[in-house]
Short mmCIF file of all heavy atoms in Angstrom, two decimals:
data_model
loop_
_atom_site.label_atom_id
_atom_site.label_comp_id
_atom_site.label_asym_id
_atom_site.label_seq_id
_atom_site.Cartn_x
_atom_site.Cartn_y
_atom_site.Cartn_z
N TYR A 43 -86.96 106.35 -96.41
CA TYR A 43 -87.19 107.48 -95.52
C TYR A 43 -88.65 107.95 -95.77
O TYR A 43 -88.95 108.37 -96.92
CB TYR A 43 -86.17 108.58 -95.80
CG TYR A 43 -86.20 109.65 -94.68
CD1 TYR A 43 -85.60 109.38 -93.49
CD2 TYR A 43 -86.85 110.87 -94.88
CE1 TYR A 43 -85.64 110.35 -92.55
CE2 TYR A 43 -86.90 111.80 -93.92
CZ TYR A 43 -86.30 111.59 -92.68
OH TYR A 43 -86.31 112.51 -91.67
N SER A 44 -89.45 107.95 -94.75
CA SER A 44 -90.91 108.27 -94.87
C SER A 44 -91.24 109.61 -94.17
O SER A 44 -90.74 109.85 -93.06
CB SER A 44 -91.82 107.19 -94.35
OG SER A 44 -91.58 105.99 -95.06
N ILE A 45 -92.00 110.44 -94.83
CA ILE A 45 -92.55 111.64 -94.21
C ILE A 45 -94.04 111.55 -94.34
O ILE A 45 -94.55 111.30 -95.46
CB ILE A 45 -92.04 112.89 -94.97
CG1 ILE A 45 -90.49 112.91 -94.95
CG2 ILE A 45 -92.66 114.13 -94.35
CD1 ILE A 45 -89.91 114.03 -95.76
N TYR A 46 -94.74 111.62 -93.20
CA TYR A 46 -96.20 111.44 -93.25
C TYR A 46 -96.81 112.18 -92.05
O TYR A 46 -96.15 112.62 -91.15
CB TYR A 46 -96.53 109.93 -93.14
CG TYR A 46 -95.96 109.22 -91.95
CD1 TYR A 46 -96.68 109.08 -90.73
CD2 TYR A 46 -94.66 108.76 -91.95
CE1 TYR A 46 -96.17 108.49 -89.65
CE2 TYR A 46 -94.05 108.17 -90.86
CZ TYR A 46 -94.88 108.00 -89.73
OH TYR A 46 -94.36 107.39 -88.61
N ARG A 47 -98.14 112.33 -92.10
CA ARG A 47 -98.87 112.89 -91.01
C ARG A 47 -99.55 111.81 -90.21
O ARG A 47 -100.22 110.92 -90.76
CB ARG A 47 -99.94 113.94 -91.56
CG ARG A 47 -100.67 114.71 -90.49
CD ARG A 47 -101.72 115.63 -91.08
NE ARG A 47 -101.26 116.41 -92.21
CZ ARG A 47 -100.60 117.55 -92.14
NH1 ARG A 47 -100.28 118.11 -90.95
NH2 ARG A 47 -100.20 118.20 -93.23
N TRP A 48 -99.40 111.83 -88.91
CA TRP A 48 -100.03 110.87 -88.03
C TRP A 48 -100.49 111.59 -86.71
O TRP A 48 -99.65 112.30 -86.11
CB TRP A 48 -99.02 109.70 -87.67
CG TRP A 48 -99.67 108.65 -86.89
CD1 TRP A 48 -99.47 108.40 -85.52
CD2 TRP A 48 -100.60 107.67 -87.33
NE1 TRP A 48 -100.26 107.29 -85.17
CE2 TRP A 48 -100.94 106.86 -86.30
CE3 TRP A 48 -101.23 107.47 -88.59
CZ2 TRP A 48 -101.85 105.81 -86.41
CZ3 TRP A 48 -102.05 106.38 -88.69
CH2 TRP A 48 -102.45 105.62 -87.57
N ASP A 49 -101.73 111.45 -86.39
CA ASP A 49 -102.30 112.09 -85.18
C ASP A 49 -102.04 113.60 -85.20
O ASP A 49 -101.70 114.20 -84.19
CB ASP A 49 -101.74 111.49 -83.90
CG ASP A 49 -102.27 110.08 -83.62
OD1 ASP A 49 -103.41 109.79 -84.10
OD2 ASP A 49 -101.57 109.35 -82.96
N GLY A 50 -102.20 114.18 -86.42
CA GLY A 50 -102.06 115.64 -86.52
C GLY A 50 -100.62 116.20 -86.56
O GLY A 50 -100.42 117.38 -86.61
N LYS A 51 -99.62 115.28 -86.47
CA LYS A 51 -98.26 115.71 -86.48
C LYS A 51 -97.50 115.21 -87.74
O LYS A 51 -97.79 114.12 -88.24
CB LYS A 51 -97.47 115.20 -85.25
CG LYS A 51 -97.98 115.78 -83.93
CD LYS A 51 -97.19 115.25 -82.77
CE LYS A 51 -97.79 113.85 -82.39
NZ LYS A 51 -97.28 113.28 -81.22
N ILE A 52 -96.55 116.00 -88.24
CA ILE A 52 -95.70 115.58 -89.34
C ILE A 52 -94.60 114.69 -88.72
O ILE A 52 -93.91 115.07 -87.78
CB ILE A 52 -95.05 116.73 -90.06
CG1 ILE A 52 -96.16 117.61 -90.64
CG2 ILE A 52 -94.12 116.22 -91.18
CD1 ILE A 52 -96.97 117.00 -91.80
N CYS A 53 -94.47 113.46 -89.24
CA CYS A 53 -93.47 112.49 -88.74
C CYS A 53 -92.47 112.20 -89.84
O CYS A 53 -92.79 112.21 -91.02
CB CYS A 53 -94.15 111.22 -88.32
SG CYS A 53 -95.40 111.38 -87.01
N GLU A 54 -91.28 111.97 -89.44
CA GLU A 54 -90.20 111.55 -90.41
C GLU A 54 -89.48 110.36 -89.75
O GLU A 54 -89.03 110.46 -88.62
CB GLU A 54 -89.21 112.66 -90.66
CG GLU A 54 -89.93 113.91 -91.34
CD GLU A 54 -88.93 114.94 -91.74
OE1 GLU A 54 -87.76 114.57 -92.13
OE2 GLU A 54 -89.34 116.12 -91.85
N GLU A 55 -89.43 109.29 -90.51
CA GLU A 55 -88.87 108.03 -89.95
C GLU A 55 -88.05 107.24 -91.03
O GLU A 55 -88.35 107.31 -92.21
CB GLU A 55 -89.98 107.10 -89.60
CG GLU A 55 -91.00 107.63 -88.56
CD GLU A 55 -90.46 107.74 -87.15
OE1 GLU A 55 -89.52 106.97 -86.87
OE2 GLU A 55 -91.02 108.48 -86.36
N GLU A 57 -87.49 103.65 -92.45
CA GLU A 57 -88.23 102.44 -92.50
C GLU A 57 -87.57 101.41 -93.43
O GLU A 57 -86.62 101.71 -94.15
CB GLU A 57 -89.66 102.77 -93.00
CG GLU A 57 -90.49 103.54 -92.02
CD GLU A 57 -91.91 103.60 -92.44
OE1 GLU A 57 -92.23 104.24 -93.51
OE2 GLU A 57 -92.78 103.08 -91.70
N TYR A 82 -97.36 98.07 -86.41
CA TYR A 82 -97.97 99.39 -86.54
C TYR A 82 -99.45 99.29 -86.26
O TYR A 82 -100.11 98.30 -86.55
CB TYR A 82 -97.79 99.93 -87.98
CG TYR A 82 -96.42 100.36 -88.37
CD1 TYR A 82 -96.11 100.82 -89.63
CD2 TYR A 82 -95.31 100.25 -87.47
CE1 TYR A 82 -94.87 101.20 -89.99
CE2 TYR A 82 -94.04 100.66 -87.81
CZ TYR A 82 -93.81 101.12 -89.13
OH TYR A 82 -92.54 101.53 -89.50
N ASP A 83 -99.98 100.42 -85.71
CA ASP A 83 -101.39 100.53 -85.50
C ASP A 83 -102.19 100.43 -86.79
O ASP A 83 -103.29 99.85 -86.90
CB ASP A 83 -101.80 101.82 -84.84
CG ASP A 83 -101.28 101.87 -83.34
OD1 ASP A 83 -101.08 100.79 -82.77
OD2 ASP A 83 -101.10 102.98 -82.85
N LEU A 84 -101.69 101.06 -87.88
CA LEU A 84 -102.31 101.11 -89.17
C LEU A 84 -101.24 100.85 -90.19
O LEU A 84 -100.62 101.79 -90.74
CB LEU A 84 -102.98 102.44 -89.46
CG LEU A 84 -103.67 102.62 -90.82
CD1 LEU A 84 -104.78 101.57 -90.94
CD2 LEU A 84 -104.18 104.01 -90.97
N PRO A 85 -100.95 99.57 -90.49
CA PRO A 85 -99.87 99.26 -91.47
C PRO A 85 -100.28 99.59 -92.82
O PRO A 85 -101.48 99.38 -93.25
CB PRO A 85 -99.65 97.78 -91.27
CG PRO A 85 -100.92 97.23 -90.73
CD PRO A 85 -101.53 98.35 -89.92
N GLU A 86 -99.33 100.07 -93.62
CA GLU A 86 -99.55 100.22 -95.08
C GLU A 86 -99.47 98.81 -95.66
O GLU A 86 -98.47 98.11 -95.53
CB GLU A 86 -98.40 101.05 -95.63
CG GLU A 86 -98.27 100.88 -97.15
CD GLU A 86 -96.86 101.38 -97.61
OE1 GLU A 86 -96.02 101.75 -96.76
OE2 GLU A 86 -96.63 101.33 -98.77
#
Side-chain angles (χ1 to χ4, degrees):
Y43 192 78
S44 297
I45 301 171
Y46 57 95
R47 186 181 313 274
W48 186 254
D49 289 334
K51 294 182 276 187
I52 301 292
C53 301
E54 297 188 31
E55 305 283 341
E57 290 187 297
Y82 289 177
D83 292 336
L84 179 61
E86 162 200 0

